[in-house]
DNA sequence: GCCGTTTTCGGCCCGACTGTTTTCAGTCG
């Protein structure tokens, strides 16, 4: 998968062009790079289908460059730019406060090509000598090099969630704060999060800043001002806060929630009417305030319906809002049951009874127990005898709880088919299948399984894990079409490191397929992950109707058997 | 270089902050 590689190439071209004072092109290259980075499909497949220009921000010229790179492994345009300024631009601009222009200056006056060169020059006091730079610049560079070396890590939404909610509550508990909302990519529920951004109103903003920086688990204060501060908490996570006036709450929420592209589009719209949109409000030609109190007010003044944060990625939501066709998104309360949990029969830690109790607590009407099939030895996959034992235990537990307990299995797709017999399949109330290895021909394997077995749910379709496992190289178009024919549902898996099917694909296939949102819980606590799966369904524009397990169990069955 | 219910050509978001400056360039979000 060369997506990241190509994105990096385009980002670097953008930097080079910026150094050369070229207008607008850098933005175009960055936009294309950002969209390529966000693809879940291998760009080589897109190239082979001749659909490069379908990618947002990719036009004729950039498509041609990508093709050249994929065909030859090189890009002449890039090589030429790099020759004029032979520096490690990505590394150098990763230092906070160092952008393309600074890189150029450093190279021209000191011959700085790498991060090491820069560190050496700064330590020797040479940076401060450059015209336009001073002691402070030099000192900041030295400090920020340390941060850049550590690398800017991202974290899983599901892992930071409890921490962030706790932080929010601790701030709200303090008298000086009035409103506190976590904004940024967290509010949009992006699967991975960089920094945490907090927006607040306060009785006295200076006092609020004092309280914020004095939180018990603050290990470092990066910046502290009257309305804006930045800290690092003991887990290493950076939290930025911004205090705004009550009157500007809505426009500030929009501004700090982003995404950047969404904001840019909105401002463009405002500008088209000779208005101006910023974090303080929507203003008319005479700087008269048209809206700012609530997000809804601002959107409506722009003749749009309210856009839920999860949709604000500039992927069509603005147009939809103008036509008042934003879907009513699914909510966690709509979910009536969990259709994939594991127990201590395989690699889960909870007993059947514990899992059922938790399901009851959560108000679920049904629960599917689906431990691993026999071939997944590492996860303690069930033998057929164990499956029968489990069936008996379920029968006993059933009578004691008012929850419908379904018995199934998460069968493993192997090179010979499934790891359970067809007879065994028939004894499952609901049959889940998943791919747990990485064969050369995953698409063919999946398609033939779909043909041969009475499958209900295809779990974690991409097989990806954030930070550790790339998505499978599969042809989802073909698999989704087959699934549509066979009434096979795709899972949206709520595990923080999976969130698979990916939200972009969720959006793509939502009119074709029915999804189930499952926790894939391996303990009773993990059944609380449901909201994460729901958030990704929301990012994929799903309403209740797109999600099978918002229906009573009879509805689920009739679709899957249909 | 991309893109289109104002445009196939002429536009392309906005403000804060910093450090270095006497009016601004660069960077960031």
């Amino acid at each position: 998968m060369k997506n990241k590689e190509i994105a990096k190439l385009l980002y670097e071209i953008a930097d080079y062009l910026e150094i050369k004072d070229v207008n607008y092109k850098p933005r175009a290259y960055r936009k294309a790079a950002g969209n390529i980075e966000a693809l879940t499909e291998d760009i080589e497949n897109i190239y082979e289908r001749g659909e490069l220009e379908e990618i947002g921000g990719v036009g004729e010229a950039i498509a041609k460059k990508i093709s050249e790179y994929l065909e030859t492994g090189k890009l002449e345009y890039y090589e030429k730019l790099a020759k004029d300024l032979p520096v490690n631009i990505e590394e150098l601009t990763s230092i906070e406060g160092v952008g393309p222009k600074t890189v150029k200056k450093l190279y021209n006056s000191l011959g700085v090509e790498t991060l090491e060169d820069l560190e050496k020059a700064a330590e020797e006091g040479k940076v401060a000598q450059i015209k336009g730079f001073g002691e402070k610049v030099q000192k900041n560079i030295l400090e920020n090099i340390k941060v850049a070396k550590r690398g800017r890590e991202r974290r899983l939404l599901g892992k930071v969630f409890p921490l962030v909610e706790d932080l929010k509550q601790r701030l709200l508990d303090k008298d000086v704060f009035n409103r506190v909302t976590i904004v940024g990519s967290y509010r949009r529920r992006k699967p991975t999060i960089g920094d945490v951004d907090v927006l607040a109103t306060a009785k006295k903003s200076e006092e609020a800043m004092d309280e914020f920086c004095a939180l018990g688990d603050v290990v470092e204060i990066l910046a502290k001002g009257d309305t804006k501060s930045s800290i690092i908490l003991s887990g290493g996570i950076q939290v930025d806060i911004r205090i705004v006036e009550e009157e500007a709450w809505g426009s500030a929420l929009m501004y700090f929630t982003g995404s950047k592209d969404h904001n840019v589009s909105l401002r463009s719209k405002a500008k088209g009417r000779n208005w101006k949109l910023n974090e303080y409000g929507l203003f008319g030609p005479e700087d008269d305030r048209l809206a700012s109190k609530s997000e809804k007010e601002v959107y409506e003044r722009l003749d749009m319906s309210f856009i839920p944060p999860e949709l604000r990625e500039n992927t069509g939501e603005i147009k939809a809002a103008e036509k008042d066709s934003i879907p009513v998104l699914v909510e966690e309360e709509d979910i009536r049951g969990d259709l994939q949990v594991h127990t201590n029969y395989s690699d889960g830690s909870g007993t059947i009874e514990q899992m059922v109790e938790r399901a009851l607590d959560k108000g679920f009407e049904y629960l599917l127990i689906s431990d691993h099939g026999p071939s997944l030895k590492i996860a303690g996959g069930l033998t057929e005898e164990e499956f029968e034992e489990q069936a008996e235990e379920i029968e006993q537990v059933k009578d004691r709880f008012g929850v419908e307990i379904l018995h199934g299995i998460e069968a493993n797709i192997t090179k010979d088919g499934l790891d359970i017999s067809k007879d065994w399949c028939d004894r499952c109330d609901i049959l889940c299948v998943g791919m747990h290895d990485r064969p050369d021909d995953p698409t063919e394997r999946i398609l033939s399984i779909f043909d041969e077995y009475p499958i209900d749910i295809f779990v974690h379709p991409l097989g990806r894990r954030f930070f550790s496992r790339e998505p499978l190289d599969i042809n989802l178009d073909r698999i989704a079409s087959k699934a549509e024919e066979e009434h096979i549902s795709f899972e949206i898996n709520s595990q923080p490191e999976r969130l698979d099917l990916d939200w972009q694909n969720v959006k793509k296939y939502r009119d074709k397929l029915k999804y189930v949102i499952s926790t894939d819980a391996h303990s009773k606590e993990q059944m609380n992950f449901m909201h994460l799966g729901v958030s990704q369904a929301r990012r994929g524009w799903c309403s209740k109707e797109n999600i099978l397990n918002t229906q009573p169990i009879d509805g689920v069955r009739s679709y899957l058997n249909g």
Side-chain angles (χ1 to χ4, degrees):
Chain A
M1 189 142 163
K2 294 194 171 143
N3 301 19
K4 284 215 175 80
E5 204 173 312
I6 286 170
K8 186 177 162 224
L9 201 67
L10 297 178
Y11 278 127
E12 290 192 23
I13 290 174
D15 284 341
Y16 281 128
L17 292 172
E18 197 158 330
I19 287 172
K20 288 172 162 261
D21 278 322
V22 176
N23 283 325
Y24 303 113
K25 286 191 193 185
R27 188 186 305 171
Y29 276 96
R30 287 203 183 101
K31 190 166 187 149
N35 288 335
I36 289 166
E37 216 170 20
L39 288 173
T40 51
E41 192 184 356
D42 193 331
I43 194 164
E44 281 187 272
N45 295 341
I46 300 173
Y47 160 73
E48 273 158 26
R49 294 200 302 272
E51 290 174 1
L52 284 175
E53 289 185 45
E54 312 273 304
I55 303 168
V58 176
E60 202 183 328
I62 293 182
K64 213 170 143 212
K65 291 187 174 73
I66 296 171
S67 303
E68 181 190 330
Y69 185 75
L70 286 175
E71 283 159 19
T72 67
K74 274 169 68 171
L75 179 56
E76 205 169 319
Y77 182 70
Y78 169 82
E79 312 262 326
K80 241 170 141 181
L81 289 168
K83 213 172 135 195
D84 289 344
L85 197 72
V87 299
N88 191 332
I89 224 168
E90 193 206 15
E91 190 180 86
L92 287 168
T93 54
S94 75
I95 303 166
E96 178 102 3
V98 176
K101 297 286 168 70
T102 306
V103 169
K104 185 189 184 184
K105 238 178 186 175
L106 289 166
Y107 176 74
N108 285 343
S109 32
L110 301 173
V112 166
E113 292 180 14
T114 65
L115 200 132
E116 272 66 41
D117 293 347
L118 179 55
E119 189 167 29
K120 189 155 168 273
E123 276 167 356
E124 289 169 358
K126 287 181 184 161
V127 172
Q129 319 264 309
I130 302 172
K131 191 165 183 289
F133 289 178
E135 288 293 333
K136 283 223 168 139
V137 169
Q138 180 166 282
K139 187 168 153 272
N140 285 340
I141 283 177
L142 274 175
E143 273 174 20
N144 290 329
I145 280 177
K146 284 183 216 147
V147 182
K149 276 185 171 171
R150 257 188 276 136
R152 256 185 126 53
E153 51 185 326
R154 292 189 72 80
R155 291 151 197 277
L156 293 170
L157 171 66
K159 304 275 178 186
V160 298
F161 196 89
L163 201 121
V164 171
E165 290 301 310
D166 171 64
L167 172 75
K168 178 182 166 184
Q169 196 50 52
R170 282 191 287 153
L171 293 176
L172 280 170
D173 286 344
K174 297 184 187 302
D175 277 346
V176 65
F177 285 98
N178 292 331
R179 300 203 209 203
V180 176
T181 297
I182 314 295
V183 287
S185 51
Y186 180 88
R187 184 159 179 248
R188 302 200 312 277
R189 297 295 189 259
K190 262 191 91 170
T192 65
I193 304 291
D195 300 339
V196 173
D197 300 303
V198 183
L199 185 70
T201 62
K203 295 184 182 74
K204 283 193 183 138
S205 88
E206 286 156 62
E207 198 182 305
M209 291 295 88
D210 289 340
E211 293 270 20
F212 178 71
C213 292
L215 285 169
D217 50 345
V218 172
V219 292
E220 198 181 341
I221 298 169
L222 297 173
K224 190 182 169 201
D226 292 345
T227 62
K228 199 175 154 182
S229 294
S230 220
I231 56 171
I232 294 190
L233 295 181
S234 58
I237 196 158
Q238 181 177 331
V239 184
D240 302 333
I241 194 167
R242 179 79 180 248
I243 308 281
V244 296
E245 296 295 328
E246 193 71 38
E247 196 181 24
W249 181 249
S251 44
L253 264 183
M254 286 168 74
Y255 176 79
F256 290 105
T257 297
S259 66
K260 193 177 158 190
D261 285 346
H262 176 85
N263 288 347
V264 167
S265 271
L266 285 182
R267 284 183 198 156
S268 228
K269 291 275 169 202
K271 201 177 173 182
R273 301 179 179 200
N274 206 16
W275 294 349
K276 191 174 63 181
L277 177 64
N278 56 32
E279 60 263 55
Y280 303 110
L282 179 64
F283 299 94
E286 312 294 327
D287 262 356
D288 43 323
R289 191 187 292 260
L290 304 173
S292 68
K293 276 207 176 68
S294 72
E295 292 185 312
K296 190 161 173 276
E297 187 192 46
V298 178
Y299 280 117
E300 280 177 358
R301 199 69 177 77
L302 288 165
D303 290 320
M304 296 177 201
S305 45
F306 175 80
I307 301 177
E310 293 93 333
L311 302 189
R312 299 181 196 170
E313 299 292 346
N314 201 30
T315 53
E317 74 279 9
I318 290 176
K319 227 180 242 172
E322 283 172 332
K323 286 190 279 183
D324 197 22
S325 59
I326 295 280
V328 178
L329 300 181
V330 61
E331 295 186 31
E332 195 182 358
E333 290 70 38
D334 297 328
I335 303 293
R336 296 192 186 218
D338 197 339
L339 291 175
Q340 201 206 157
V341 305
H342 295 261
T343 70
N344 57 3
Y345 275 78
S346 67
D347 59 349
S349 64
T351 62
I352 293 173
E353 193 169 339
Q354 285 170 333
M355 300 307 275
V356 173
E357 269 173 358
R358 182 55 65 100
L360 202 65
D361 283 348
K362 294 190 75 76
F364 288 158
E365 298 166 16
Y366 48 90
L367 179 72
L368 173 66
I369 308 277
S370 52
D371 276 303
H372 290 286
S375 73
L376 216 62
K377 299 265 189 295
I378 193 164
L382 264 55
T383 62
E384 206 160 350
E385 291 82 54
E386 286 167 332
F387 181 78
E388 291 308 328
E389 269 174 50
Q390 190 176 42
E392 277 173 35
E393 189 179 333
I394 286 175
E395 280 308 316
Q396 291 163 14
V397 174
K398 241 179 198 171
D399 301 333
R400 282 188 277 137
F401 296 93
V403 180
E404 176 114 27
I405 311 172
L406 306 163
H407 192 203
I409 202 114
E410 182 188 357
N412 190 20
I413 301 173
T414 68
K415 65 180 196 307
D416 310 312
L418 283 184
D419 64 345
I420 65 175
S421 65
K422 285 189 184 147
D423 173 54
W424 187 349
C425 290
D426 291 337
R427 275 178 278 148
C428 292
D429 294 320
I430 287 179
L431 175 61
C432 302
V433 300
M435 187 81 114
H436 296 88
D437 56 0
R438 311 183 76 73
D440 295 332
D441 56 345
T443 304
E444 296 309 321
R445 270 200 204 181
I446 293 163
L447 289 173
S448 71
I449 299 288
F450 279 14
D451 252 336
E452 217 177 309
Y453 294 86
I455 293 159
D456 297 307
I457 302 170
F458 181 36
V459 300
H460 48 69
L462 300 170
R464 66 124 178 243
R465 282 171 183 268
F466 287 108
F467 311 137
S468 66
R469 213 177 283 167
E470 288 290 310
L472 286 165
D473 186 12
I474 50 177
N475 186 331
L476 262 186
D477 279 344
R478 286 178 64 200
I479 296 171
S481 297
K482 187 83 198 165
E484 184 184 18
E485 281 171 36
E486 305 281 341
H487 276 222
I488 294 170
S489 173
F490 274 24
E491 179 188 65
I492 299 171
N493 186 296
S494 304
Q495 292 283 318
E497 72 280 7
R498 288 196 187 271
L499 299 181
D500 170 9
L501 195 60
D502 179 276
W503 64 271
Q504 291 172 88
N505 288 319
V506 169
K507 183 178 178 191
K508 191 167 168 190
Y509 300 114
R510 71 188 191 284
D511 295 327
K512 222 177 176 144
L513 299 173
K514 292 276 187 195
Y515 300 118
V516 302
I517 306 175
S518 309
T519 63
D520 192 6
H522 285 67
S523 67
K524 60 183 197 296
E525 290 76 16
Q526 289 189 355
M527 287 176 74
N528 293 333
F529 286 153
M530 184 60 84
H531 72 99
L532 296 169
V534 172
S535 69
Q536 302 310 299
R538 290 170 63 87
R539 283 177 68 80
W541 292 57
C542 285
S543 55
K544 209 172 145 176
E545 288 67 36
N546 300 109
I547 310 297
L548 206 50
N549 53 326
T550 59
Q551 296 186 27
I553 189 62
D554 291 343
V556 176
R557 281 205 172 104
S558 85
Y559 175 81
L560 293 174
N561 297 333

